[in-house]
Every structure is written in C-alpha cells, then in structure tokens.
Amino acid sequence: MSDIYGEILLDHYRLPRNKGRLEHPTLSVEGVNPLCGDELTLDLEFDGQRLKDIRFSGKGCAISVASASMLTEALKGKTVEEIERWIGVFREFIRTGRAPDGVELGDLLALEGISKLPVRVKCATLPWSALEEAISRYRG
Amino acid sequence: MSDIYGEILLDHYRLPRNKGRLEHPTLSVEGVNPLCGDELTLDLEFDGQRLKDIRFSGKGCAISVASASMLTEALKGKTVEEIERWIGVFREFIRTGRAPDGVELGDLLALEGISKLPVRVKCATLPWSALEEAISRYRG
Amino acid sequence: MKTVEEIRRDFPILSLKVNGRPLVYLDNAASSQKPIQVLNAYCRFCESRYANVHRGVHTLAETATGDYEEARKTLADLVQADARGVVFTRGTTESINLVAQSYGRKFIKHGQAILMTPMEHHANLVPWQVLARAVGAELRFWPLNQDGTLDMVEGRKLLDARVAMVAVAHVSNVLGTINPVREIVEMAHRVGAKVLVDGAQAAPHMPVNLSEIGADFYAFSGHKMCGSTGIGVLYGRPEILEDMDPFMTGGEMIREVWLDHATWNEIPHKFEAGTPPITEAISIAAAARYLQEIGMDWIHAHDTMLTARAWELLAAEPGVTLYGPAGERGALVTFNVAGVHPHDLAALLDRDGIAIRAGHHCAQPLHRWLGVQATARASFYLYNTPEEVDALLEGVRAAKKVLQLV
Amino acid sequence: MKTVEEIRRDFPILSLKVNGRPLVYLDNAASSQKPIQVLNAYCRFCESRYANVHRGVHTLAETATGDYEEARKTLADLVQADARGVVFTRGTTESINLVAQSYGRKFIKHGQAILMTPMEHHANLVPWQVLARAVGAELRFWPLNQDGTLDMVEGRKLLDARVAMVAVAHVSNVLGTINPVREIVEMAHRVGAKVLVDGAQAAPHMPVNLSEIGADFYAFSGHKMCGSTGIGVLYGRPEILEDMDPFMTGGEMIREVWLDHATWNEIPHKFEAGTPPITEAISIAAAARYLQEIGMDWIHAHDTMLTARAWELLAAEPGVTLYGPAGERGALVTFNVAGVHPHDLAALLDRDGIAIRAGHHCAQPLHRWLGVQATARASFYLYNTPEEVDALLEGVRAAKKVLQLV
Ligand SMILES: Cc1ncc(COP(=O)(O)O)c(C=O)c1O
Ligand SMILES: Cc1ncc(COP(=O)(O)O)c(C=O)c1O
C-alpha cells in the first residue's frame, strides 16, 4: 500500500482548516461514509456566484478530515463554475492518481495514493460528494 | 469405473427371467428411477406366506432390467421372512460391494461393482425398492 | 494462434486415462474443464492476494477488492455489458431465481403472463412455476416446430400485452437450437414485456453482445466456461436492478442497519449479500481472459465444425435418432440408439474412456415433447478434436454390439 | 503434533511481505487463509476428478459425485451431525436466508415473534427483519449485560409461547461473546420455539457438537475455516428440512417436472438447486480434515491463549477501550484507541504489515449499543503467534504517535 499518511495529510488532520460551523450559511449539506458511518457537514455561504465562506464539521478518519480541510482551502472564494470544474478535476485525480494537464492541485496532491486504495476512496471523496450535492442544490 | 457389464449381467438383460405380467397377482407395485424416469412394475402372487410367482415389466437400462431379472429368480418361492432378509442382504451388498458372511448371492454377484458407482445405485435398487414396498403392503 | 494440440496441453485433466484409455471428455454442456492458466490464477491469488473484500483497509483487503471488481469488469466486457449491471451469483440457477423472486414478486401481477418455451432447462422453468403460483400469473409456452426450433408465427400470437416476462434459452442444452433472442427481445419490448435470456449454453461458446441483443436479464455460469463452480453472472439492465428488491440480505448489500429495519447498498452490491464468491470471481475472470485470448469467434467455429461432424456421422448410423435442428446449432448433439438405453450407452462408452451424458438433462418436459424418457448427449468445446468425434461413433457401434438382443 | 512454525509453513501467504514487512494477518474473523493442503486438494481434484455431479454415469461424474457426497459427510462429522441435514450453501448468509425464507414463510405466522440479540451480524438480523415484515411477525431483542454477554434473566422473560424462532450467534464477531447456545436451545424448545445458531465464528475455532447443542439450524462458512469462498453449510434437523419448501428451484433439487408444476427431490438435495459449489465442497472438506488433524481442541486453546494475551496487553495500554467480556471469549479482540479513527489505525498498522479490520464489522446496531461508529478488530487463528500479538501492540503505539494531535 502506497503510504498516504504523509506530512501534508497529517498536518491537515491535526490542524484542519475551516473546521466548525458558519453562523449564516446559505446552505448546509450532510454526507455519510457508508464504509464506517462517519458523518460530515458542510456549511456554505454564497455571495451571488461566489463561495464567500465554507466550513466543515463532523468526525472522521484522517483521510476524510484532511480531504475536507484541503477542499475548503482550495475552494473558498471560487465561483460556482470554478468549483464545478474543480469537482471534475478532483474525481479524475482520485480515479487515476494523476492531475489533469496544467492543473495545480496544491496540498490535494497529498491524496495521490488514494487511487490505489479502492476501499478508502470513499473517505477521500466524502466531502466532495457533499459539495457536489450542495452545488446542485444551490443551482436549483 | 469397474466393469459392470459382464456376461452374467448382459445375459439377464438380453434374456430377462420372469418378464411380463401375472394374470392374478396378489398385488402390483410400481417404481420410478428418478435418475432417468424409467418405470418398473412388479406383479407378486402370494400363497399365504410364500411368494408363489413374480413377474416384472417396464423399460429400463441393462442394470435395472438385469437386477429385476435376478431378483425374481432369487426370490420366487421364498417366504415373506426370507424375502425381508434378502432385501437387507442386498442393500448391504450394494452399499459395501461385499456379501455378508455365509450368504450365497448367485447371479446377483454380477452387481458387485455397483457400490463404486453411486449414480447407478438407483438403477440396481429400483426393483428392490419396489419389492420392499410390496412386502410392507402385503404385511399390511 | 494456438493449435488444438496446444490448447489441450493447457488442460491437465485431458491427459488422464480412464479405464486405461485416454479420456475423451464430451460432457461439456454439463460442465467444462479448467486450463492451467485458470488454476494458476486461482492459486496465485490465494497465495498472495487473498482477503475478504469491500470493507477492509489493509493491503490484502485492498488488492482482493481490486481484483474482485476487476473480475466484474472482465465479465462485463465478455458479454459487452455495463459492469454496474453485472451481479455475481452462484450460477445460472441462482441468477434466474433472483430475477423470478426480486423482479417477479414485485412487478409481475395477478393475471399477467410469463411466456417460456418447452425447451427450457428446469432452471428457467421451475422458478417461474413457483412465481406464477405465488402471484397468480399465467404460464404460456411458445410452440416448437417439428425440428425443435421456435415457431415464430405461433409464438408471436402468444406475445400480447398481458405478457410481463419472456424467459428463453439462448441455446437449448438438449436440442442445440440457437434461438433468435435479439428478435424475441424486440418483439417482447414492443408489447412491454421484459426478457430474461438463459445464456448458460451460449456465453461459453460464442461471442455474445448484450448491447445488441438488448435483453433485460442475461444469465450464465462459470463452470461451463472453463471457470469455477460456485459462481455465475446475472446481468440486469441497471435501471431495472435499481427498482428491484434485494434477493438475499445480510452483510455488504446494506447501506445502514437498525435493529428493526435497513436500507440497501447501490447496485450491483445490493444483490450480493454476504461474503461473495471471491476466489471464484478470480477463476471466472481468468477463464474469460483465456477464452478471449483464444477468441470467441474461433471457439464458435471450432465447436460448429465438431458438431457438424458428429451430426453427420451419427445421422448416417443405422438406429440412431438425432434431436433438434440439423443446421446451425449449439455445441452438442443429442440422440438415441434403438434398443440401447442412454444410460447403458454412456456407461459402455465410459469403458472406452468416452464421457457423455445420458438422462433428461434437466429438461423433462422437453423429453415428454420428444416422446422419450431419456437421451444421450455429446457436447463439445475448444479442446475437443475431430478424432474424438470419430471415437464417439466407434463407441456407439461397439455399444450396439454389446447390448444387441439375441 | 505440528508446531505453530510448522503450521505457518503450510500457509503460502504467510511468507508474504507487505510494505516491506512480514505479513501479520489478524483479520481471520473476516476470512482466513488456506493451507497448501487445501490448495493441493483443490488442484488435484480439478486436474483428475472433476465433472458435474449427480446425473452423469461416466467415470469422472461418478468420482466427482462420490467426492462431493464424501465432503458432505466430512462436514457432518466436523460438527457431529447427521449428513442428511447438511445442505451446502454459498455461506452463512445464504444459510440464514434459506431458513428465513423456506422455514419462516411457511411456519412463522402473523403475531408470532422472532427473538434475536443486538449482537447479531447483519446476516442474522436483516433476513429476519424482511421476514417479519412479510408475515407480520414481531422482532424481539434479548438484552445484553454491560460486558456484552446475554442477560439470561431478562432474556428468559422474552421467551414466551409466542416466540417461533430464536436466532442467535454462537460467538459474536465483534464482542467475542460465547453464547450459552445449549442452554438457549433448551429454554426455547420448552416454549416450542425453534433455534437457529449462527456458527460463523464458532465452527472454525472450537469443537462443535450439534447433537449436544440440539439446535434446529446451524450455519457456518468455508472461507472462515481455511476453506474456499462460495461455500458454507446449513445444518437443519432432517425432520424439519423435510417439511420446508425449497429455497431456490431448478436442476437437481427436483424429482419430476412438468410444464406447469414439479415435485421435489429428497433432502438435502431439495435445497441444492442447480450445479452446486463442487470444487468448493472439495476445498471445505480438505480444510475440515486439516483442522481436525491439528485438532479443534488445540486450535481453541491456541486461539484462547492469543486472545488473552492481546486483551491483557491492550487493556494495559493508555487510551485503549476494549469491548465484550474479559474472560472466556472467541478468537478476537475489538477495541478503540482514543483520538485514533479505527480506519486510520488499520491503515497505519498496514504500513507495518499488520492486517486488522476496522469498521462496524456488519454489526451496526451493536455499534450503536456500544455508542461508537466503528471499532478496530484483531482476530486470531491457528497460524498466529504471540509475537504477532506483540507486534499489534507496537503498531497501536506507533499509530498513536503518528496521529497524535499537537
Ligand atoms: C457472526 C457472523 N455471522 C455471519 C457472517 C456472514 O458470513 P458470510 O459472509 O460468509 O456469509 C459472519 C462473517 O462475516 C459472521 O462473523
Ligand atoms: C440451458 C441451461 N440453463 C441453466 C443451466 C443451469 O446452470 P447451473 O447448474 O450452472 O446453475 C444449465 C446447465 O445445467 C443449462 O444448460
């Protein structure tokens, strides 16, 4: 098993960014990891087409927590369209273990090894699935 | 597979003894071979406790026909008690491939190899199962 | 391209001697043998990659899960289907029971009809009898022509709007008839009926393209295609599987469980309760790869050549009656020899090392239609040779002599 | 008598390196590994004795049939039961579904109750939920004591004349609790209830004497006892099996078939529709013989020694919570480490080559009762060593360090 528990991932797990709840979220979504029953909540605050703020809460394993932390960091301030592009990029990345050409993944690169861990893919994608639902709900 | 198609068996198949129907049977029983659907009928005529006459009819494979032919030959004229003993002996013989000590099987020895052919056991025992039913019915 | 001689060397059992004679294995429609490639894949997996699948996060659990899901894709590719619709079952029989229960009990209603053919294997007949009795549905039977093909004119008349399900063999395991399943699916869909195709005798022997056939359900078994027993495939169109209730319940097929109720996992997992046949999936996938390397087209052509030869030789032999259509057919010939009980024929052939099947081949109603209790069947596969067909004929002649009534 | 070192050499997979470290396989409750004796028996059978069973009259069909029925006897012997009551299924899950459907739908009536425990595996819970909903039966749950044993006083009160079925694990796959099944059977029979014992975690690990336990049904799986996936056993008391309807229908389980109805074969064949898991039966029988040669008593003692050691070491480790009874228990320890998600623990142990399981172990209701989402579970078998238990402890300590929150 390729070692997924690298320093960047552990850093996000120990010191998660944007953890907690928002006071006035535009909408909140919940996700459940069928593998272990872990639950995660995303609060999103939009300003028109722009994601002004985002927080996540809930218990989870290091992979799901770090994935959520990285997600919030990467997407805060982005537009709905940009976020949708990111969701596609992330799914592709998780499936293949490679970033599409010309895309800078930043810390998310720490999840590179996940494509070889089919069982843990659900942990890494948990916050992203929740985000996807949030966006589709926001679009109406 | 040990060779069951020996001369004695083939002789009983080609020239079955006591084949046909009785005019005035005390009782008739039918047996079906679940393996192939073959049907066999036994007609029995009792004189008190003694089996005065016996005939078999129906289509069957060489093993079931020869087995029926040998059965009629071996048991005609025997008493109900003797027949019951023979049924026990035959079952034991078919299961183990050996005759119980001191028993003379005669032509039935030709069925020796059957114990090693679990699938064909049903062919050899078809007439005997029918006989067993006949006896238990006759006893009431 | 391998020669038949090379193929034969892949199958350890084919070098066996039976009663002192080289084994001539002509019982492939009952079950096929396994090449060393399949046995090796099995052992390698057990020796270095095995664990239970789908819930473990350790390395072996991840490898085993990956291999198991890869096997699903391999089988989906074999029949050109969407892997989401590929459910691993124990075999054709469980696949059909699953549909009869999970689809049938929910969607087939009192007064509707199930249309079958009289040539169905018990596996594609009895589950529908049980269902029909449970829900109050009617059973209809597509008439046969004299030669054992479907009477398309009469059948069309039975296919009205009350028919909810058509259950039909792709290839008959007795008559060898290859049914026009694509046409039947089109006809059935036009009246809103679903179609289950029993592919047990087709998938191992010919290219099968489910996206072309369009069947709603398609079933086949691993052990008839050089793979393991204990595994088979049910393909179901994903949108139909989604709507169906589970068949069995337990681990892996659930999403969340409370003391008094539970919710279901997504397809195809919803239909795979408990520890699935993991090593069997490795085996059937290795078998599918082996067959694909040889080429399904080649296998079909080879089978057809052997079958035609057998038909020709036996048709010319006095006292032999052949059943089923004379032309294009599945990889088998079914016959009777006057005065020779099929069981005796099979047993006597066995003295010469030749393995054929005798009996009703799990198709009693068809045998009633044929007017016989039992038949003898020789069935062929990629490793059989023309010489083995000739040996069959010699064996038949010898048996006639042995049993000849004086 | 073999030493553990010798036993280990029988299992090819145990010489594997995982992430550069020797494999420490502690996921035996999920599935066990296979010794070379079992793999060899499998291959030898495939290479020289294989054919479909029960209907062929040629040599291979006769040998395969003989071996298959011999396997049934071997399994009957293992648990000291009548072979007529031994049905081969795909595994514990199918065994229980079979009883819930074939016995339950016929004999469990509206208003009757099914009594279970909250420690059941989903396989022994969800099928009863489905049945209860279908027939209108009530579900009852035998309360647990604080330590995860059954509360025999409260349980007795639930066991009244309305209870038709008691479904209980012999050994819990999470708590390790060994339930007093013999006593439960006695209590249940007194009120006329039947008892199904889920022996998935018991039969592989300890001597099981069904004639003593007296259970009406007993279920276990091949893959947890050094045998194949794709096979398991349902033992049912013959006189009860006789009365039950078939579960699946198709070939081999029938006596006679007409177009519109059919009659059934005798037990146990009535419950084995279609081609059974033949090679899997060879495998599970070889496994049973292997275990019996080592000795079920020895295995039980060895497991108990390892489990006690693991319990002791982990109980002394700060931050570790253990679940289930402290004393006599099944061959596993289930625990949590404060601040470490079980999945992370399992993944981090895997870096050291140690395979344990993390999650809800198909027992979500029990985890709700425990008040946690998930747990970590190390489970032992005949080939594990005290040193491996020590490695587990070291691994747990290392994981705590890696994930330590700063
Ligand atoms: C107690 C118990 N019951 C039932 C099962 C289900 O067994 P299988 O998955 O082999 O059907 C298991 C194993 O997962 C178990 O531990
Ligand atoms: C046409 C057909 N359908 C169904 C089956 C049943 O397959 P299985 O016994 O593998 O379930 C067979 C094989 O026996 C068959 O030939």
Side-chain angles (χ1 to χ4, degrees), chain A residues 49-84:
Chain A
Q49 287 301 296
R50 193 164 294 278
L51 180 63
K52 210 175 113 193
D53 207 354
I54 177 167
R55 295 274 166 85
F56 80 97
S57 53
K59 280 204 307 188
C61 64
I63 293 176
S64 67
V65 168
S67 178
S69 168
M70 293 168 186
L71 176 156
T72 59
E73 209 177 43
L75 301 187
K76 198 194 281 195
K78 295 278 190 293
T79 64
V80 169
E81 259 184 34
E82 284 166 334
I83 291 173
E84 283 177 332

Short mmCIF file of all heavy atoms in Angstrom, two decimals, chain A residues 49-84:
data_model
loop_
_atom_site.label_atom_id
_atom_site.label_comp_id
_atom_site.label_asym_id
_atom_site.label_seq_id
_atom_site.Cartn_x
_atom_site.Cartn_y
_atom_site.Cartn_z
N GLN A 49 -22.56 34.33 -7.18
CA GLN A 49 -21.94 33.14 -7.76
C GLN A 49 -20.66 32.74 -7.03
O GLN A 49 -20.01 31.79 -7.39
CB GLN A 49 -21.62 33.37 -9.25
CG GLN A 49 -22.85 33.38 -10.12
CD GLN A 49 -23.62 32.07 -10.04
OE1 GLN A 49 -23.13 31.02 -10.43
NE2 GLN A 49 -24.85 32.13 -9.51
N ARG A 50 -20.30 33.49 -6.00
CA ARG A 50 -19.01 33.26 -5.36
C ARG A 50 -19.19 32.60 -3.99
O ARG A 50 -20.07 32.97 -3.22
CB ARG A 50 -18.26 34.59 -5.23
CG ARG A 50 -16.77 34.43 -4.88
CD ARG A 50 -15.97 35.68 -5.12
NE ARG A 50 -15.89 36.04 -6.54
CZ ARG A 50 -15.03 35.50 -7.42
NH1 ARG A 50 -14.17 34.59 -7.01
NH2 ARG A 50 -15.03 35.89 -8.68
N LEU A 51 -18.36 31.63 -3.70
CA LEU A 51 -18.39 30.96 -2.39
C LEU A 51 -17.60 31.83 -1.42
O LEU A 51 -16.37 31.82 -1.41
CB LEU A 51 -17.74 29.57 -2.50
CG LEU A 51 -17.69 28.75 -1.21
CD1 LEU A 51 -19.09 28.44 -0.70
CD2 LEU A 51 -16.92 27.46 -1.44
N LYS A 52 -18.33 32.58 -0.61
CA LYS A 52 -17.69 33.55 0.27
C LYS A 52 -16.99 32.84 1.42
O LYS A 52 -15.87 33.18 1.80
CB LYS A 52 -18.77 34.50 0.83
CG LYS A 52 -18.24 35.88 1.12
CD LYS A 52 -19.36 36.80 1.57
CE LYS A 52 -19.15 37.17 3.02
NZ LYS A 52 -20.34 37.82 3.62
N ASP A 53 -17.70 31.84 1.99
CA ASP A 53 -17.09 31.13 3.12
C ASP A 53 -17.56 29.69 3.14
O ASP A 53 -18.64 29.36 2.63
CB ASP A 53 -17.46 31.82 4.45
CG ASP A 53 -16.39 31.57 5.51
OD1 ASP A 53 -15.44 30.78 5.25
OD2 ASP A 53 -16.49 32.16 6.60
N ILE A 54 -16.76 28.86 3.76
CA ILE A 54 -17.11 27.43 3.84
C ILE A 54 -16.48 26.85 5.09
O ILE A 54 -15.36 27.19 5.47
CB ILE A 54 -16.65 26.66 2.56
CG1 ILE A 54 -16.96 25.16 2.68
CG2 ILE A 54 -15.17 26.88 2.27
CD1 ILE A 54 -16.82 24.41 1.37
N ARG A 55 -17.24 25.99 5.78
CA ARG A 55 -16.73 25.30 6.97
C ARG A 55 -17.17 23.84 6.91
O ARG A 55 -18.20 23.51 6.32
CB ARG A 55 -17.33 25.90 8.26
CG ARG A 55 -16.95 27.32 8.55
CD ARG A 55 -15.64 27.41 9.31
NE ARG A 55 -15.15 28.80 9.26
CZ ARG A 55 -15.55 29.74 10.11
NH1 ARG A 55 -16.38 29.45 11.10
NH2 ARG A 55 -15.10 30.97 10.00
N PHE A 56 -16.40 22.99 7.57
CA PHE A 56 -16.87 21.60 7.69
C PHE A 56 -16.83 21.17 9.14
O PHE A 56 -16.06 21.70 9.95
CB PHE A 56 -16.03 20.66 6.82
CG PHE A 56 -14.71 20.26 7.42
CD1 PHE A 56 -14.57 19.06 8.11
CD2 PHE A 56 -13.60 21.10 7.34
CE1 PHE A 56 -13.36 18.69 8.68
CE2 PHE A 56 -12.38 20.74 7.90
CZ PHE A 56 -12.25 19.54 8.57
N SER A 57 -17.68 20.23 9.49
CA SER A 57 -17.69 19.70 10.86
C SER A 57 -18.05 18.21 10.82
O SER A 57 -18.48 17.70 9.80
CB SER A 57 -18.70 20.47 11.72
OG SER A 57 -19.97 20.47 11.08
N GLY A 58 -17.86 17.57 11.92
CA GLY A 58 -18.13 16.12 11.99
C GLY A 58 -16.86 15.37 12.32
O GLY A 58 -15.75 15.91 12.28
N LYS A 59 -17.07 14.08 12.68
CA LYS A 59 -15.92 13.24 13.00
C LYS A 59 -15.52 12.45 11.77
O LYS A 59 -16.35 12.18 10.91
CB LYS A 59 -16.28 12.26 14.13
CG LYS A 59 -16.22 12.90 15.50
CD LYS A 59 -15.99 11.86 16.59
CE LYS A 59 -17.01 10.73 16.53
NZ LYS A 59 -16.89 9.83 17.69
N GLY A 60 -14.28 12.09 11.70
CA GLY A 60 -13.88 11.30 10.55
C GLY A 60 -12.46 10.81 10.69
O GLY A 60 -11.75 11.17 11.62
N CYS A 61 -12.07 9.98 9.75
CA CYS A 61 -10.71 9.49 9.75
C CYS A 61 -9.79 10.57 9.18
O CYS A 61 -10.25 11.60 8.67
CB CYS A 61 -10.61 8.22 8.91
SG CYS A 61 -10.97 8.48 7.17
N ALA A 62 -8.50 10.35 9.29
CA ALA A 62 -7.53 11.35 8.85
C ALA A 62 -7.74 11.70 7.39
O ALA A 62 -7.62 12.87 7.00
CB ALA A 62 -6.11 10.82 9.08
N ILE A 63 -8.07 10.71 6.57
CA ILE A 63 -8.21 10.97 5.14
C ILE A 63 -9.42 11.85 4.85
O ILE A 63 -9.33 12.82 4.11
CB ILE A 63 -8.28 9.64 4.35
CG1 ILE A 63 -6.93 8.94 4.45
CG2 ILE A 63 -8.65 9.89 2.90
CD1 ILE A 63 -6.87 7.57 3.79
N SER A 64 -10.55 11.54 5.50
CA SER A 64 -11.72 12.36 5.19
C SER A 64 -11.59 13.76 5.79
O SER A 64 -11.98 14.74 5.17
CB SER A 64 -13.00 11.66 5.65
OG SER A 64 -13.06 11.59 7.06
N VAL A 65 -11.01 13.85 6.97
CA VAL A 65 -10.84 15.17 7.58
C VAL A 65 -9.86 16.01 6.76
O VAL A 65 -10.13 17.17 6.43
CB VAL A 65 -10.34 15.04 9.05
CG1 VAL A 65 -9.89 16.39 9.58
CG2 VAL A 65 -11.45 14.45 9.92
N ALA A 66 -8.72 15.41 6.39
CA ALA A 66 -7.74 16.16 5.62
C ALA A 66 -8.32 16.55 4.27
O ALA A 66 -8.11 17.66 3.78
CB ALA A 66 -6.47 15.33 5.44
N SER A 67 -9.07 15.63 3.66
CA SER A 67 -9.67 15.92 2.36
C SER A 67 -10.63 17.10 2.48
O SER A 67 -10.65 17.99 1.62
CB SER A 67 -10.39 14.68 1.84
OG SER A 67 -11.03 14.93 0.62
N ALA A 68 -11.41 17.12 3.56
CA ALA A 68 -12.35 18.22 3.77
C ALA A 68 -11.60 19.52 4.00
O ALA A 68 -11.95 20.58 3.45
CB ALA A 68 -13.27 17.90 4.95
N SER A 69 -10.56 19.45 4.79
CA SER A 69 -9.78 20.64 5.09
C SER A 69 -9.17 21.22 3.81
O SER A 69 -9.23 22.43 3.54
CB SER A 69 -8.69 20.28 6.12
OG SER A 69 -7.74 21.31 6.22
N MET A 70 -8.61 20.36 3.00
CA MET A 70 -8.00 20.81 1.74
C MET A 70 -9.04 21.38 0.80
O MET A 70 -8.80 22.35 0.09
CB MET A 70 -7.30 19.63 1.06
CG MET A 70 -6.09 19.11 1.81
SD MET A 70 -5.59 17.51 1.09
CE MET A 70 -4.29 17.03 2.22
N LEU A 71 -10.19 20.75 0.79
CA LEU A 71 -11.28 21.21 -0.07
C LEU A 71 -11.64 22.65 0.27
O LEU A 71 -11.71 23.52 -0.61
CB LEU A 71 -12.49 20.29 0.10
CG LEU A 71 -13.79 20.62 -0.64
CD1 LEU A 71 -14.62 19.35 -0.82
CD2 LEU A 71 -14.65 21.66 0.07
N THR A 72 -11.85 22.89 1.54
CA THR A 72 -12.27 24.25 1.94
C THR A 72 -11.20 25.26 1.57
O THR A 72 -11.48 26.34 1.08
CB THR A 72 -12.55 24.32 3.45
OG1 THR A 72 -11.36 23.96 4.17
CG2 THR A 72 -13.68 23.38 3.84
N GLU A 73 -9.95 24.88 1.79
CA GLU A 73 -8.86 25.79 1.49
C GLU A 73 -8.79 26.09 0.00
O GLU A 73 -8.55 27.23 -0.41
CB GLU A 73 -7.55 25.17 1.97
CG GLU A 73 -6.52 26.20 2.38
CD GLU A 73 -5.26 25.53 2.92
OE1 GLU A 73 -4.81 24.53 2.32
OE2 GLU A 73 -4.75 25.99 3.94
N ALA A 74 -8.97 25.05 -0.79
CA ALA A 74 -8.82 25.22 -2.24
C ALA A 74 -9.96 26.01 -2.85
O ALA A 74 -9.77 26.72 -3.84
CB ALA A 74 -8.71 23.84 -2.91
N LEU A 75 -11.14 25.92 -2.27
CA LEU A 75 -12.32 26.44 -2.97
C LEU A 75 -12.89 27.73 -2.40
O LEU A 75 -13.74 28.37 -3.04
CB LEU A 75 -13.42 25.37 -3.03
CG LEU A 75 -13.00 24.08 -3.73
CD1 LEU A 75 -14.19 23.16 -3.89
CD2 LEU A 75 -12.38 24.38 -5.10
N LYS A 76 -12.45 28.11 -1.22
CA LYS A 76 -13.01 29.34 -0.64
C LYS A 76 -12.70 30.50 -1.58
O LYS A 76 -11.56 30.65 -2.02
CB LYS A 76 -12.40 29.60 0.75
CG LYS A 76 -13.24 30.58 1.56
CD LYS A 76 -12.50 31.10 2.76
CE LYS A 76 -12.50 30.10 3.91
NZ LYS A 76 -12.09 30.76 5.19
N GLY A 77 -13.73 31.25 -1.92
CA GLY A 77 -13.53 32.40 -2.79
C GLY A 77 -13.74 32.10 -4.27
O GLY A 77 -13.78 33.00 -5.10
N LYS A 78 -13.91 30.83 -4.60
CA LYS A 78 -14.09 30.47 -6.01
C LYS A 78 -15.55 30.65 -6.45
O LYS A 78 -16.47 30.71 -5.62
CB LYS A 78 -13.70 28.99 -6.22
CG LYS A 78 -12.22 28.70 -5.96
CD LYS A 78 -11.36 29.05 -7.18
CE LYS A 78 -9.92 28.55 -7.05
NZ LYS A 78 -9.14 29.24 -5.98
N THR A 79 -15.74 30.74 -7.76
CA THR A 79 -17.11 30.86 -8.28
C THR A 79 -17.70 29.46 -8.44
O THR A 79 -16.99 28.46 -8.45
CB THR A 79 -17.14 31.52 -9.67
OG1 THR A 79 -16.46 30.66 -10.58
CG2 THR A 79 -16.47 32.89 -9.63
N VAL A 80 -19.03 29.42 -8.58
CA VAL A 80 -19.72 28.15 -8.74
C VAL A 80 -19.15 27.38 -9.92
O VAL A 80 -18.92 26.18 -9.86
CB VAL A 80 -21.24 28.39 -8.91
CG1 VAL A 80 -21.94 27.10 -9.34
CG2 VAL A 80 -21.84 28.92 -7.61
N GLU A 81 -18.91 28.10 -11.00
CA GLU A 81 -18.36 27.43 -12.18
C GLU A 81 -16.98 26.84 -11.93
O GLU A 81 -16.67 25.73 -12.32
CB GLU A 81 -18.28 28.40 -13.36
CG GLU A 81 -19.42 28.20 -14.32
CD GLU A 81 -19.30 29.11 -15.53
OE1 GLU A 81 -18.16 29.39 -15.96
OE2 GLU A 81 -20.35 29.55 -16.01
N GLU A 82 -16.16 27.65 -11.26
CA GLU A 82 -14.83 27.15 -10.93
C GLU A 82 -14.92 25.91 -10.03
O GLU A 82 -14.18 24.94 -10.21
CB GLU A 82 -14.01 28.24 -10.22
CG GLU A 82 -13.50 29.30 -11.17
CD GLU A 82 -12.98 30.54 -10.43
OE1 GLU A 82 -13.44 30.81 -9.29
OE2 GLU A 82 -12.14 31.25 -10.99
N ILE A 83 -15.83 25.97 -9.09
CA ILE A 83 -16.00 24.83 -8.17
C ILE A 83 -16.40 23.58 -8.94
O ILE A 83 -15.88 22.50 -8.71
CB ILE A 83 -17.04 25.17 -7.08
CG1 ILE A 83 -16.48 26.23 -6.16
CG2 ILE A 83 -17.42 23.91 -6.29
CD1 ILE A 83 -17.47 26.78 -5.14
N GLU A 84 -17.32 23.76 -9.87
CA GLU A 84 -17.74 22.60 -10.65
C GLU A 84 -16.57 22.01 -11.42
O GLU A 84 -16.42 20.79 -11.53
CB GLU A 84 -18.89 22.98 -11.59
CG GLU A 84 -20.20 23.07 -10.82
CD GLU A 84 -21.36 23.51 -11.69
OE1 GLU A 84 -21.12 24.23 -12.68
OE2 GLU A 84 -22.51 23.14 -11.37
#
